[in-house]
Amino acid sequence: MTTGKAAVFFGPGKPFELRELPLPEVEPDAVLVRVALANVCGSDLHFWRGDAPLKLPQDGWVYGHEMTGRVARLGARIKTDSLGHPLAEGDRVAYTYFYPCGRCAACLDKRPAACLAKVGRPLGPSEFPYFHGAFAEYYYLKPGGFVFKVPDGLPDELVAPVNCALSQVIFGLDQAGLRFGGTVVIQGAGGLGVQAAAVARDMGAATVIVIDQLTGRLELARAFGADHTINIKEVTDRKDRVNLVRKLTGGVGADIVCDFVGFPQVIPEGIEMLRQGGTYLEIGTISRGAKVEIEPAALVWGAKRIVGVIMYDPWVIPRALDFLVRNRTRWPFDRLISHTYPLAEINRAFADSEWHGRDTTTITRAALVP
Ligand SMILES: [Zn+2]
Ligand SMILES: [Zn+2]
């Protein structure tokens, strides 16, 4: 093969267009991956919907990031994965899609997830290495990317969310300081929220409460380990929801509340649900410019923290794979991807995934099979 297909995005409201692109020359420290499965993630929907201003190259943007695949070509210097296990062409892999620079204050402080340079600007199909995102037949893992061999027993459907949703929630709960016996409230039962319920359980949480407005999602959250769910369409008053969380957490409020909704209006309510000294984990609201009013005194007198997390440190991926091996029969991971589409039907996959402004959705996560 000398070429591969990629879906090119031209901006909100415009359809993706499929293009045939040349396969890049693989640099000595890079890996060309043949994508097996690429999921439509909530953040992809934000860009597609136009929730935040976007500057795209003239020739469009090759994007998408939640994926798994097989090694198509190994750079000449790559003999092993990032843990030192031998790596060969054809091996199934999970990998990061961002590249900490190694030369900034955050990287120096050994906090690669906080590196501002780790995600570059949107790149179009005419710029080397052409395959910049998941919505394509190939993904070019650039030098400095982290790659891990996937255990044989895990099907692609389980592995595809590892490099985004699953690793994101594992790292987030780690950064928020979830401890054995802790209480966790999850706002938003999309892909991240549902997996966060299971991860919190696996990390030893005593009580997991999930909040959403869609019945189907809340049911899925319960299947993934949530003890209690709150439907905001049923408990319509914010005060009642806060009181309910207090009641379900022994009268004190939650140790950790997480935003996996993506709209900042939920944040003040979440902060209110925290116990004294609790931590609010902010992951969902990635759209720049989105604002919300909070009362700083509630943080001061509540001795509460807000922790923002974007992506994760590379150690998380192998632990996420272990988590799946350990728990694959405990929770119905096969239900996380509800619909699959060929790459050529990417426009339908996005339209079907849209949940904002709808009452019901049958789709949990759409996956493209390039
Ligand atoms: Zn994602
Ligand atoms: Zn850096």
Side-chain angles (χ1 to χ4, degrees):
M1 289 298 275
T2 55
T3 64
K5 288 187 180 57
V8 184
F9 180 63
F10 292 94
K14 295 176 189 157
F16 286 88
E17 289 176 27
L18 238 52
R19 294 284 150 82
E20 194 79 35
L21 307 177
L23 294 191
E25 197 67 48
V26 180
E27 296 159 277
D29 293 304
V31 178
L32 185 67
V33 176
R34 177 67 176 89
V35 178
L37 212 57
N39 293 351
V40 178
C41 169
S43 60
D44 300 327
L45 279 173
H46 279 302
F47 295 125
W48 176 80
R49 199 185 285 136
D51 287 337
L54 247 186
K55 249 205 199 132
L56 296 185
Q58 284 232 303
D59 59 339
W61 182 22
V62 180
Y63 87 119
H65 56 274
E66 193 170 305
M67 59 180 147
T68 183
R70 287 175 188 276
V71 175
R73 281 176 206 167
L74 275 184
R77 271 202 290 267
I78 305 271
K79 310 286 181 217
T80 70
D81 75 359
S82 298
L83 276 175
H85 303 307
L87 195 62
E89 289 178 3
D91 281 348
R92 299 169 61 230
V93 283
Y95 39 94
T96 52
Y97 57 90
F98 49 88
Y99 304 87
C101 74
R103 290 173 174 272
C104 73
C107 287
L108 195 67
D109 193 32
K110 298 195 180 68
R111 300 190 59 201
C115 173
L116 197 58
K118 70 184 186 296
V119 183
R121 62 189 164 81
L123 295 176
S126 56
E127 199 155 343
F128 181 87
Y130 325 122
F131 294 90
H132 313 293
F135 305 139
E137 288 181 335
Y138 292 88
Y139 177 72
Y140 188 81
L141 186 75
K142 294 192 286 183
F146 292 83
V147 61
F148 301 93
K149 232 165 135 162
V150 168
D152 287 337
L154 295 180
D156 290 340
E157 289 71 21
L158 262 69
V159 180
V162 161
N163 79 335
C164 175
L166 184 56
S167 290
Q168 183 69 77
V169 300
I170 292 173
F171 189 61
L173 288 169
D174 172 83
Q175 295 292 293
L178 174 59
R179 288 176 13 215
F180 180 74
T183 53
V184 181
V185 170
I186 292 161
Q187 297 175 295
L192 267 73
V194 164
Q195 294 181 77
V199 168
R201 264 275 106 79
D202 193 60
M203 286 173 78
T207 305
V208 178
I209 303 164
V210 179
I211 306 172
D212 202 283
Q213 57 176 341
L214 300 175
T215 319
R217 286 181 171 201
L218 290 172
E219 191 272 312
L220 193 61
R222 278 193 297 276
F224 272 82
D227 302 287
H228 310 281
T229 54
I230 301 174
N231 190 331
I232 63 171
K233 292 234 162 108
E234 288 162 13
V235 189
T236 51
D237 188 36
R238 165 178 164 171
K239 225 187 199 151
D240 292 340
R241 293 193 290 269
V242 172
N243 285 336
L244 190 52
V245 165
R246 192 144 300 159
K247 208 177 101 195
L248 295 170
T249 51
V252 293
D255 295 321
I256 293 168
V257 178
C258 323
D259 166 22
F260 293 119
V261 176
F263 293 94
Q265 292 77 4
V266 305
I267 295 171
E269 177 175 332
I271 292 172
E272 226 182 308
M273 289 170 172
L274 287 170
R275 69 160 163 82
Q276 288 292 110
T279 299
Y280 192 78
L281 175 62
E282 180 51 46
I283 286 180
T285 304
I286 62 159
S287 303
R288 287 190 193 275
K291 286 180 186 152
V292 71
E293 208 167 68
I294 59 166
E295 184 193 350
L299 297 175
V300 175
W301 289 96
K304 296 173 181 177
R305 297 191 302 151
I306 301 178
V307 172
V309 168
I310 180 77
M311 298 163 198
Y312 48 87
D313 291 349
W315 61 260
V316 178
I317 287 187
R319 292 188 187 212
L321 292 168
D322 283 349
F323 163 84
L324 288 173
V325 170
R326 189 162 70 238
N327 293 304
R328 61 169 302 188
T329 57
R330 187 175 175 195
W331 294 303
F333 290 100
D334 55 314
R335 288 181 63 192
L336 284 178
I337 291 176
S338 54
H339 295 59
T340 52
Y341 304 79
L343 184 63
E345 287 179 35
I346 183 169
N347 289 304
R348 197 160 64 85
F350 269 73
D352 289 355
S353 299
E354 177 61 306
W355 59 271
H356 191 227
R358 286 192 194 175
D359 277 344
T360 53
T361 177
T362 51
I363 206 158
T364 47
R365 217 161 190 74
L368 294 158
V369 186

